[in-house]
Amino acid sequence: MGIQSVAVFSEADRESLHVLLADEAVCVGAPPATESYLVIDRIIAAAQSTGAEAVHPGYGFLAENAKFAQACAEAGLVFIGPPAAAIRSMGDKVAARQVAVRMNVPVVPGADQPIGDDAEAARIASTVGYPIMIKAALGGGGKGMRLVRAPGELAGALRAARSEAGAAFGDASVYIERYIEEPRHIEIQVLGDAHGAMVHLGERECSIQRRHQKLIEESPSPFLDADLRHRMGDAACRIGTAAGYVNAGTVEFLVDRDRHFYFLEMNTRLQVEHPVTELVMGRDLVKQQLRIAAGQKLDFTQDDVVPRGWAIECRINAEDPYAGFIPSPGHIISLRPASGPWVRDDSGVYSGYTIPRFYDTLMSKLIVWGTDREAAIARMTRALAEYKVVGVQTTIPILEHIMRDPDFVAGRLSTHFLDHMMDVDRPEAAGRRRNVALIAAALAAYDRAGRPAPSPTAASQSAWRQAMRPGRGAR
Ligand code: MV4
């Protein structure tokens, strides 16, 4: 688009790829995010000192912070995202639920108000029916959430949820919903412009996650048919419109085994997994964000949105999947990303880079497109086998494992998929049992050293060459 870019970085990110690629870069403080990336005034000052006109907040840190959106506006900067009021209204999960109810969008049966005392909680819980879920009113992402299977567990769970919510969000309000067993997590991408148009760009299936960290996402979902897609897309647009939403957003749903869908929450930012939507829709979502922020009208309508083929994204994290996914920051001795037709590597690292220990472990997103799901899985399997990282442990081997898993291949997914797959006690998981020994050994080594094992800087030439061959990764 011919737009010049300014990167911000902390002292730990001086060597980051985004800093190398940007036209200019400004240091915003010390490594802890609370002293750099989360300091609103520092980011605003960086924009003003470089003459920036607009600020893209990315996916984390201040991306869903209404105060930051407000501060940008007050400083005369365009915030590339929704209005502060829309962030605020969707940030309150109870208020968001009420918007959904008002728009005739199904929500999980439960209370539409934060709960008062334990007696009221017990009343609501028995009306809703056990098992129930206690959730933080200002929550999201699983914090302050408690599953309660029986009345006897209610009081303890309430206490725990309240204190976790208070600590995490500064507000101990919680509410109650019926618990949906083994749901799928399916979300709808929406785009709204400042002139009242709202369109959806189909769904992403994000059920493969661990502790609320997504590992694999795909579009379309193997579970949706045209009718359900249409109804969920329409519901997402109604919520976006009711919230006064402008720019790119995501409406999250739980879908149960009987194909009922329930509104969960709205994410008021571009998401990590947006590339799968870009590949099946043939549209650049960040470009759309910039156009919308500049006040332009959407240049397409819902009828122009036609998905084509299948896209899958795998998150390559610096973690050891066979040692409880412990972070594995450190020096990347050698890196060879996958490439080839319909393979996209959205990476933040390079050969010789040292992954700092301060932030999350995402190194790269590997995204492939295929004419159908089978072709996309085959292409991802090939790409993962070619993708080589020497120096740090990565999620690549577990991603390869998932691509071969019969349930994954058949599209039998739920938010419990990964727990299930890694449940080595299942008889059919006999081939995975050796992982237990690997996990135990790695954890013991970790405990002995008090830190991850050092990078193998002295790897011999032949061992290195072996490590770089496709399909020879640690299993
Ligand atoms: C639920 C649920 C089951 N029933 N609500 C987790 C994060 C937050 N956004 C909502 N979450 C859930 N809410 C009811 N009533 C199960 C989850 C859930 C989940 C949701 C999406 C993706 C992964 C998940 C993993 C565990 C639990």
Side-chain angles (χ1 to χ4, degrees):
M1 296 175 88
I3 298 170
Q4 300 283 296
S5 58
V6 180
V8 292
F9 63 96
S10 74
E11 282 158 22
D13 275 347
R14 201 169 286 279
E15 311 285 320
S16 284
L17 189 58
H18 79 286
V19 173
L20 301 183
L21 297 180
D23 295 297
E24 288 179 64
V26 179
C27 182
V28 292
T34 49
E35 295 170 35
S36 49
Y37 296 116
L38 290 170
V39 183
I40 292 177
D41 292 346
R42 296 276 182 93
I43 311 294
I44 302 279
Q48 289 179 324
S49 72
T50 52
E53 296 166 62
V55 177
H56 194 297
Y59 332 110
F61 297 129
L62 298 171
E64 297 191 89
N65 187 308
K67 285 196 190 111
F68 181 58
Q70 186 92 44
C72 286
E74 283 162 8
L77 295 161
V78 173
F79 177 75
I80 303 166
I87 300 178
R88 214 171 280 122
S89 78
M90 290 293 128
D92 179 335
K93 306 303 157 185
V94 176
R97 228 181 107 93
Q98 288 164 352
V99 170
V101 171
R102 205 169 69 237
M103 300 313 289
N104 277 320
V105 173
V107 297
V108 185
D112 290 331
Q113 295 294 332
I115 42 185
D117 57 11
D118 285 16
E120 188 191 349
R123 247 188 342 269
I124 293 169
S126 62
T127 314
V128 166
Y130 287 89
I132 59 127
M133 197 84 141
I134 305 172
K135 296 186 175 183
L138 299 188
K143 270 218 190 83
M145 218 169 69
R146 281 288 182 290
L147 167 61
V148 185
R149 292 226 171 252
E153 302 163 7
L154 183 63
L158 263 177
R159 211 174 314 118
R162 281 207 171 101
S163 92
E164 204 173 309
F169 311 110
D171 181 337
S173 306
V174 296
Y175 64 107
I176 285 177
E177 282 181 359
R178 192 172 74 212
Y179 179 63
I180 309 293
E181 305 270 359
E182 303 219 356
R184 288 172 181 251
H185 170 138
I186 298 177
E187 59 189 29
I188 304 282
Q189 176 71 53
V190 297
L191 280 178
D193 69 18
H195 306 274
M198 184 71 62
V199 298
H200 75 83
L201 284 85
E203 79 279 11
R204 292 184 288 262
E205 160 92 54
C206 307
S207 296
I208 306 219
Q209 52 82 46
R210 181 179 170 276
R211 300 200 181 156
H212 310 296
Q213 293 293 328
K214 294 165 187 163
L215 197 57
I216 298 177
E217 305 96 348
E218 59 184 297
S219 186
S221 162
F223 198 56
L224 294 203
D225 54 28
D227 173 62
L228 188 50
R229 176 171 301 117
H230 173 76
R231 287 188 289 126
M232 288 175 68
D234 197 56
C237 287
R238 292 206 305 277
I239 287 173
T241 301
Y245 203 84
V246 177
N247 218 292
T250 298
V251 182
E252 283 187 20
F253 295 96
L254 290 181
V255 183
D256 71 16
R257 286 173 225 162
D258 304 320
R259 294 176 188 273
H260 297 116
F261 68 89
Y262 308 95
F263 168 73
L264 211 51
E265 54 194 70
M266 182 166 190
N267 296 315
T268 58
R269 59 169 197 277
L270 187 74
Q271 289 192 270
V272 172
E273 59 270 25
H274 75 275
V276 294
T277 301
E278 295 187 323
L279 295 195
V280 293
M281 295 301 177
R283 294 182 195 276
D284 178 336
L285 286 174
V286 176
K287 184 173 181 177
Q288 295 297 333
Q289 286 196 292
L290 294 171
R291 292 186 72 257
I292 291 166
Q296 296 180 335
K297 288 188 169 178
L298 281 182
D299 57 2
F300 62 95
T301 66
Q302 192 66 61
D303 288 343
D304 300 323
V305 175
V306 182
R308 194 169 155 263
W310 213 281
I312 303 177
E313 173 177 282
C314 282
R315 297 195 192 191
I316 298 178
N317 299 334
E319 294 168 4
D320 187 341
Y322 295 132
F325 292 84
I326 52 172
S328 177
H331 184 70
I332 300 173
I333 296 166
S334 191
L335 176 74
R336 190 195 54 220
S339 65
W342 299 290
V343 174
R344 168 173 164 182
D345 179 47
D346 279 18
S347 177
V349 300
Y350 52 88
S351 214
Y353 179 64
T354 298
I355 301 167
R357 63 184 172 80
F358 296 98
Y359 313 110
D360 74 48
T361 58
L362 185 63
M363 297 168 66
S364 171
K365 305 181 288 181
L366 179 61
I367 313 111
V368 303
W369 182 89
T371 49
D372 55 26
R373 192 166 187 268
E374 195 183 347
I377 292 174
R379 184 163 285 135
M380 182 61 84
T381 303
R382 187 271 293 171
L384 287 167
E386 285 182 6
Y387 209 113
K388 290 295 157 189
V389 183
V390 178
V392 299
Q393 299 297 323
T394 75
T395 44
I396 291 172
I398 199 76
L399 293 164
E400 292 188 281
H401 201 138
I402 296 169
M403 290 299 134
R404 293 191 299 266
D405 183 274
D407 285 339
F408 179 79
V409 170
R412 286 189 293 268
L413 310 175
S414 88
T415 54
H416 299 270
F417 175 92
L418 211 56
D419 293 338
H420 245 251
M421 195 189 84
M422 299 199 79
D423 180 0
V424 289
D425 293 331
R426 283 165 75 211
E428 66 271 33
R432 297 164 193 150
R433 206 158 288 178
R434 67 198 179 90
N435 298 344
V436 178
L438 280 173
I439 293 166
L443 284 175
Y446 181 86
D447 287 345
R448 273 197 306 280
R451 60 193 154 75
S455 300
T457 41
S460 73
Q461 280 287 318
S462 72
W464 180 83
R465 241 182 259 116
Q466 186 70 11
M468 297 300 281
R469 290 182 61 190
R472 302 292 173 92
R475 292 285 157 81

